[in-house]
Amino acid sequence: MSYNGGPMTEAMYYVLLALMRPNHGYQLMQSITEVSKGRLKMGPGTLYGVLSRMQKDGLIVLSKDDGRRKIYEITEDGEHALRNEYARLKSLISDSSVLEEGNDG
């Protein structure tokens, strides 16, 4: 299934976030764990499945393959999709402010 501009999976969002700096698979897994403060630990099966789909969708590219490591980069379309998703998530949080206000009204 290709990315159609709709809501992203959590795995897609964190992979794109981690690829704001070019990175290889093992570093990506560590970066995702670090950025999510340990909440999300992505295994190699999930990571490489997501990377493959995102390459096909043009959200990332393989920028270097020396036989030992494959370095991935986010594309302009990928950064645009990431920023759109970030804005969507911010709107969800903003719209949910009623939960912070409680039931006093």
Side-chain angles (χ1 to χ4, degrees), residues 33-54:
T33 300
E34 186 179 311
V35 168
S36 70
K37 298 176 179 56
R39 189 179 56 77
L40 182 63
K41 294 180 182 175
M42 194 176 296
T46 301
L47 176 67
Y48 288 105
V50 170
L51 289 172
S52 176
R53 284 195 308 273
M54 292 173 83

Side-chain angles (χ1 to χ4, degrees), residues 20-95:
M20 289 302 290
R21 280 183 258 148
N23 230 330
H24 63 79
Y26 182 72
Q27 279 183 327
L28 275 172
M29 287 188 283
Q30 289 185 322
S31 294
I32 290 166
T33 300
E34 186 179 311
V35 168
S36 70
K37 298 176 179 56
R39 189 179 56 77
L40 182 63
K41 294 180 182 175
M42 194 176 296
T46 301
L47 176 67
Y48 288 105
V50 170
L51 289 172
S52 176
R53 284 195 308 273
M54 292 173 83
Q55 265 189 281
K56 289 178 187 166
D57 292 343
L59 300 174
I60 64 170
V61 291
L62 181 62
S63 63
K64 184 178 175 186
D65 183 356
D66 66 6
R68 289 184 41 233
R69 290 183 179 169
K70 293 180 178 181
I71 307 290
Y72 297 91
E73 288 183 10
I74 192 169
T75 63
E76 191 174 312
D77 286 346
E79 187 172 340
H80 181 74
L82 178 62
R83 291 186 184 281
N84 282 345
E85 183 66 2
Y86 175 66
R88 188 185 75 79
L89 293 171
K90 280 177 57 176
S91 293
L92 288 176
I93 297 299
S94 175
D95 293 347

